[in-house]
Amino acid sequence: MKQLIELIAKSLVDNPDMVIVNEKDDGKTVIYELSVADDDMGKVIGKQGRIAKAMRTVVKAAAAREYKKVIVEII
Amino acid sequence: MAKVIEVSGRGIEEAKQNALRDLGLPESRVSFEILEEPSKGFFGIIGNKGAKIRASVKEIAPEEKAYDFLEKIFAAMNMDVTINKKESEYGCIFDLNSDQDMGIMIGKHGQTLDALQYLTNMAANKGADENRKHIILDVEDYRSRREDTLKHLAWRIADKVRASKRKMSLEPMNRHERKIIHMALQEEADVITYSDGEEPHRKVVIDIKRSK
């Protein structure tokens, strides 16, 4: 899942080297914290959060296949 | 758009390697043009001249980037998906097929498919000012089946509106799906359709055409 988030984020930003995903597991839910270069924030959030929303939708679908609950946070 | 640099080296091969190092790209992504051949000069001493080349970064077509993006996505999801590329009047269609259950990739009313399509378009057209290409994702012809479902829904609701003489609103739909409903009822003389509400809850309303 971490790999998937990294892959999506890296495909969208100008500075792929700055993409970092941290994984926090609290038992039931896995939280993924995505951070990108400051200049790239807009590229992973999008107008009215459209890109972030699409990213969460895709990641949730992937997680559902593994019966997991995930949250993607952009920090 | 494409980045071009001029590089020299003692020989052509060295110049190429210098160019690849400066650009930080593999050889497959760069094309070369020789500007000056190296010359040995007399007796290998006098007039010794190096090679000069022009290296241009090859542009990757959006379709190619999209294909690459999708392949990697499905690999990361451990899904075995075949991608079939088709050209259509609306853009480039990538039809996704798999032996595994693809329902999860479609999502409720195609939400997941639309999200993945949106991301694919962002990734494919990144940095492209011109030559942008609209990529459409489909799963096992889901989109044309959905179009049929929506048309039939439109006709059925229009009949209800006619019978009850009351307007009815459909559930929220995206722009593309609303258009299918509007188009389906465009020719009907006695009903009108319009969209109401704010995205993402915007919905189509079907009403009786009243003479003023």
Side-chain angles (χ1 to χ4, degrees):
Chain A
M1 206 59 57
K2 188 180 163 185
Q3 195 198 348
L4 178 69
I5 298 166
E6 266 175 8
L7 171 67
I8 297 173
K10 284 184 178 180
S11 309
L12 300 172
V13 300
D14 289 329
N15 307 290
D17 300 343
M18 300 280 280
V19 171
I20 299 164
V21 179
N22 272 317
E23 193 174 337
K24 281 186 187 169
D25 197 336
D26 76 347
K28 273 188 200 161
T29 318
V30 190
I31 301 169
Y32 293 95
E33 291 176 341
L34 167 67
S35 74
V36 298
D38 287 348
D39 294 347
D40 283 331
M41 273 311 244
K43 295 228 161 71
V44 288
I45 295 174
K47 275 181 205 141
Q48 293 168 358
R50 206 172 154 198
I51 298 176
K53 195 179 165 224
M55 193 150 59
R56 290 188 177 115
T57 305
V58 172
V59 172
K60 272 189 188 146
R65 288 185 73 234
E66 296 170 17
Y67 307 100
K68 271 191 204 150
K69 234 184 140 182
V70 296
I71 297 172
V72 181
E73 279 173 4
I74 299 167
I75 52 167
Chain B
M1 245 332 265
K3 199 176 170 191
V4 178
I5 56 168
E6 282 177 16
V7 192
S8 32
R10 267 174 297 178
I12 289 179
E13 199 44 45
E14 191 186 284
K16 280 188 184 178
Q17 291 311 317
N18 288 344
L20 294 178
R21 198 194 51 224
D22 289 355
L23 291 167
L25 291 169
E27 190 156 359
S28 56
R29 291 279 319 276
V30 185
S31 61
F32 301 104
E33 185 190 338
I34 295 160
L35 299 176
E36 278 169 36
E37 294 269 2
S39 61
K40 282 262 163 61
F42 290 110
F43 312 112
I45 318 161
I46 313 156
N48 208 336
K49 229 171 60 170
K52 199 171 177 189
I53 58 160
R54 180 180 291 150
S56 331
V57 178
K58 284 185 202 160
E59 290 257 358
I60 307 175
E63 297 97 302
E64 226 172 296
K65 279 197 231 169
Y67 194 96
D68 190 52
F69 176 74
L70 290 170
E71 265 196 330
K72 284 188 195 154
I73 291 272
F74 294 126
M77 291 170 81
N78 294 317
M79 289 185 82
D80 197 11
V81 177
T82 337
I83 309 169
N84 288 313
K85 204 181 119 188
K86 296 185 277 194
E87 286 291 336
S88 88
E89 53 185 312
Y90 308 109
C92 191
I93 302 177
F94 285 79
D95 192 37
L96 313 172
N97 287 277
S98 174
D99 293 337
Q100 287 158 295
D101 178 19
M102 288 297 274
I104 217 147
M105 282 320 298
I106 298 174
K108 193 185 169 203
H109 298 330
Q111 263 172 10
T112 309
L113 189 61
D114 287 338
L116 185 61
Q117 174 175 306
Y118 183 62
L119 293 176
T120 307
N121 274 288
M122 297 307 283
N125 291 307
K126 187 180 89 172
D129 299 328
E130 307 139 42
N131 305 324
R132 294 181 72 89
K133 187 103 191 191
H134 184 54
I135 313 278
I136 299 163
L137 297 189
D138 201 352
V139 170
E140 290 153 5
D141 290 323
Y142 165 78
R143 293 211 189 271
S144 51
R145 281 187 282 128
R146 175 79 178 150
E147 190 173 332
D148 284 348
T149 309
L150 288 172
K151 279 184 191 162
H152 284 101
L153 174 79
W155 295 326
R156 213 173 55 235
I157 301 294
D159 282 343
K160 278 194 186 172
V161 169
R162 283 186 190 108
S164 68
K165 307 234 182 297
R166 279 162 194 265
K167 66 177 176 188
M168 285 180 80
S169 42
L170 307 181
E171 58 183 305
M173 285 172 199
N174 65 31
R175 191 165 52 107
H176 178 70
E177 296 194 339
R178 289 198 309 268
K179 193 177 166 191
I180 294 170
I181 304 277
H182 291 309
M183 300 281 277
L185 297 176
Q186 201 179 33
E187 304 288 309
E188 308 289 322
D190 53 346
V191 292
I192 54 159
T193 61
Y194 56 90
S195 296
D196 188 30
E198 293 294 317
E199 297 281 9
H201 304 292
R202 205 163 158 77
K203 44 182 110 169
V204 177
V205 182
I206 303 175
D207 199 358
I208 286 285
K209 199 179 268 179
R210 296 170 209 280
S211 44
K212 282 171 192 159

